[in-house]
Amino acid sequence: MKGIFFWPSGNRHDFYIPSGTNFQLSTTHYKHTGEDSLVVALKGRDRSAFAYLYDNYAGALLGVITRIIQKEEIAEEVLQDTFLKIWDRIDSYDREKGKLFTWMLNVARNLAIDKTRSKEFSKERQTGGLEKLVGKIDTQEKIELGVEVIGLQDLLSKLSEDQQFVIDKHYLKGYTQSEISEEFDLPLGTVKTRMRLAMQVLRNLLIK
Amino acid sequence: MNVEAYIASGILEAYAQGQLSSAERAEVEKYLNTYPALRKELDAIEDAQEALLQRMAIQPKSSVKESLMAEIDARERTRIPSAAETESFNWKWVAAAAIAFAVVSSYFALDYRSRWKTSARELSNLIAQNQQVAKDYNTVNERLDRLEMDLNIVNNPAFTRVVMKGTEQAPSALASVYWNQTSKEVYLSIQELRELSADQQYQLWAIIDGKPVDAGVFDLTKGRLLRMKSVNTGAVTFAVTIEPKGGRPSPTMETMQVAGNI
């Protein structure tokens, strides 16, 4: 779980403590035995494994959903739907096709996009998403984490302008690569290679 | 395929971002299984994406988790376990046990079947043998009864034995008659007579008062006495001729085989 290192310590009290005895197991077990044993536990419909999954990924997924949906209330609804779908469909997850987080991310993104297409929802992209959302996240991080984590803005500032552009459009504004290509009149191949270069830079910064 | 060029195209990033059509996805998945380098690169991309998105996390209100877990519990209470799940517990052992049981059962079934078939065969052989023995026993018994009866006649002083010797036409022929002059019973014993054709029979005659009297027809039968027609007192000679099947009222003298006087 690469993302765990910056997990807000203030949220620890939110951990679900099962009525049984395996609280220790549920929170520490998978760090040692890895993603495969977590998946096995989930497929075995282990409630504490699911709680662990939520505690570790709900934030990242809500970030993704919120950036597509733009409305906090609806985004949390979609987050709940996402985890219910993960719970119901875990048997269809196949490690051969990618990591568990990637699979969950696709579930979340698809549900969020479906939501934006529903009648109750009128799609309106906000302008200045990067500045506003990064600002919001930074504020949150400062409140909850203190200063031990490099700010997202600092991280993105390591990218070239072109690279920042595609990361911003996709990860912060929820554009697909085709949408970026169409709206900003860039060849799809160019969007792809820029995205690749951007990810390589981030990889070196994020994964040590 | 040029793996490096494939990676450089950025298709794996697009895959990790869920940006590909299902056909493109299927192609990437096929290559992932073929080229370990692609798998390694994708893992790294996915890790980077996960780390990035964790940086951009927005924490939900704690009420979201509470209502989610309540919903999960509600679902679990009404859920019927899927076949895959109940199986996943230890289906391998169940399958192994079932196969082992089937193999052992089949072995015993085959073994018992072959034993049963052998037993059934042996039993029907025994029944057949038993029937044969019973038949043989009856045959022997009948023969014994007849021999006893014949012996009684031969040993009975009331019977007169008349030896009939071969005539000129059949010098080696020989037969005997046992005649009880009181009861009139006549028995014939053949020692040597020739085979006849299917349309012929032997006929025994008694000569009484110079006239031949029919004493019955017979076929060539050796080893036992043949009961003939009763013959009244006064017979002086017995003779056997060959006649058409069923006999004739009077003998054909030219075919006389044996004859003997009392």
Side-chain angles (χ1 to χ4, degrees):
Chain A
M1 303 304 139
K2 294 290 183 345
I4 196 87
F5 70 93
F6 78 101
W7 189 258
S9 53
N11 270 21
R12 288 279 172 194
H13 67 269
D14 277 353
F15 275 16
Y16 168 75
I17 301 169
S19 52
T21 54
N22 56 348
F23 168 66
Q24 282 304 317
L25 202 65
S26 72
T27 53
T28 60
H29 186 57
Y30 308 111
K31 284 177 210 161
H32 301 301
T33 54
E35 194 172 295
D36 289 347
S37 67
L38 175 61
V39 171
V40 169
L42 289 170
K43 288 189 176 180
R45 313 200 74 79
D46 180 338
R47 191 184 189 280
S48 62
F50 186 70
Y52 174 88
L53 193 73
Y54 182 89
D55 291 336
N56 281 283
Y57 297 111
L61 295 181
L62 183 60
V64 172
I65 294 163
T66 305
R67 289 186 288 275
I68 295 169
I69 299 258
Q70 308 284 342
K71 288 173 185 168
E72 204 180 323
E73 284 295 301
I74 302 173
E76 286 188 341
E77 252 174 57
V78 172
L79 179 71
Q80 182 161 341
D81 290 347
T82 300
F83 273 92
L84 286 174
K85 194 163 184 182
I86 289 167
W87 178 251
D88 288 340
R89 304 290 305 278
I90 186 68
D91 279 335
S92 70
Y93 165 66
D94 179 1
R95 174 64 183 94
E96 293 286 297
K97 295 179 178 175
K99 295 197 164 198
L100 180 60
F101 178 78
T102 308
W103 179 72
M104 295 181 0
L105 173 63
N106 284 329
V107 173
R109 188 189 287 116
N110 290 337
L111 284 176
I113 290 169
D114 286 350
K115 198 69 167 184
T116 62
R117 286 171 188 163
S118 66
K119 267 186 246 162
E120 45 172 324
F121 200 95
S122 63
K123 190 176 178 181
E124 41 175 304
R125 287 202 196 280
Q126 291 191 357
T127 50
L130 176 61
E131 296 76 10
K132 191 184 168 193
L133 279 162
V134 167
K136 188 182 173 191
I137 294 158
D138 277 354
T139 313
Q140 274 193 338
E141 283 181 345
K142 275 178 188 128
I143 292 163
E144 291 170 359
L145 296 175
V147 289
E148 81 263 32
V149 179
I150 317 164
L152 184 63
Q153 196 115 50
D154 292 342
L155 187 70
L156 296 183
S157 70
K158 303 284 197 299
L159 300 174
S160 75
E161 215 169 299
D162 284 346
Q163 292 163 359
Q164 244 182 64
F165 179 79
V166 290
I167 291 291
D168 171 54
K169 291 299 174 213
H170 178 65
Y171 286 107
L172 292 162
K173 301 222 180 71
Y175 283 68
T176 66
Q177 290 189 3
S178 319
E179 282 168 345
I180 297 170
S181 160
E182 280 162 28
E183 284 200 30
F184 303 97
D185 205 19
L186 287 166
L188 186 57
T190 306
V191 178
K192 277 200 167 72
T193 48
R194 279 184 194 173
M195 188 72 83
R196 160 140 188 92
L197 294 172
M199 290 303 284
Q200 279 192 303
V201 175
L202 291 175
R203 205 157 118 185
N204 292 330
L205 293 168
L206 288 163
I207 317 270
K208 293 288 183 291
Chain B
M1 187 186 75
N2 185 336
V3 174
E4 272 161 35
Y6 191 74
I7 289 172
S9 74
I11 192 163
L12 293 180
E13 281 78 4
Y15 178 81
Q17 291 171 354
Q19 307 258 352
L20 300 181
S21 71
S22 57
E24 291 171 313
R25 244 190 346 262
E27 192 195 66
V28 172
E29 281 157 9
K30 194 183 78 187
Y31 289 143
L32 282 175
N33 286 326
T34 319
Y35 304 100
L38 289 187
R39 164 89 52 201
K40 206 171 156 232
E41 180 66 16
L42 178 65
D43 281 356
I45 291 164
E46 290 188 81
D47 285 344
Q49 175 173 251
E50 184 181 334
L52 177 67
L53 291 172
Q54 290 285 18
R55 286 295 176 95
M56 296 157 66
I58 296 171
Q59 292 313 314
K61 291 196 285 283
S62 60
S63 61
V64 177
K65 184 179 179 184
E66 281 159 27
S67 76
L68 175 68
M69 295 312 284
E71 177 65 27
I72 295 289
D73 291 341
R75 285 186 185 200
E76 284 308 285
R77 273 193 296 277
T78 56
R79 197 176 64 93
I80 297 148
S82 72
E85 226 176 290
T86 37
E87 269 176 24
S88 76
F89 177 61
N90 57 1
W91 65 271
K92 280 182 187 164
W93 294 111
V94 173
I99 289 164
F101 179 74
V103 167
V104 171
S105 302
S106 305
Y107 169 76
F108 279 116
L110 278 173
D111 186 48
Y112 279 115
R113 185 183 148 77
S114 84
R115 288 194 204 188
W116 166 71
K117 289 211 72 145
T118 311
S119 303
R121 205 164 46 235
E122 282 172 355
L123 181 64
S124 67
N125 282 349
L126 283 174
I127 291 169
Q129 275 178 26
N130 194 35
Q131 283 170 346
Q132 188 57 47
V133 167
K135 219 170 103 185
D136 291 351
Y137 172 80
N138 284 338
T139 311
V140 169
N141 227 19
E142 273 169 35
R143 274 188 73 187
L144 193 64
D145 283 351
R146 219 165 37 230
L147 282 172
E148 231 168 8
M149 231 165 63
D150 289 357
L151 197 64
N152 284 341
I153 292 160
V154 169
N155 284 341
N156 191 342
F159 279 90
T160 309
R161 184 185 184 204
V162 182
V163 177
M164 300 181 289
K165 290 187 172 152
T167 59
E168 277 174 24
Q169 295 121 24
S172 63
L174 187 67
S176 307
V177 163
Y178 294 87
W179 180 37
N180 189 328
Q181 300 199 31
T182 316
S183 67
K184 323 282 193 250
E185 286 170 277
V186 174
Y187 289 90
L188 178 75
S189 168
I190 299 164
Q191 277 79 48
E192 185 61 48
L193 285 177
R194 69 176 174 91
E195 294 278 348
L196 297 183
S197 59
D199 56 346
Q200 292 176 318
Q201 268 189 315
Y202 286 110
Q203 192 165 5
L204 179 68
W205 305 92
I207 313 297
I208 303 170
D209 298 335
K211 287 184 204 151
V213 175
D214 171 38
V217 295
F218 61 92
D219 296 313
L220 183 59
T221 312
K222 286 183 181 172
R224 64 184 180 93
L225 297 180
L226 301 173
R227 172 123 200 212
M228 305 306 294
K229 286 183 184 170
S230 298
V231 169
N232 286 326
T233 358
V236 290
T237 302
F238 284 96
V240 173
T241 59
I242 296 172
E243 305 295 346
K245 202 171 181 77
R248 279 166 48 126
S250 57
T252 312
M253 296 312 286
E254 297 78 41
T255 65
M256 186 180 290
Q257 300 291 298
V258 289
N261 296 327
I262 292 165

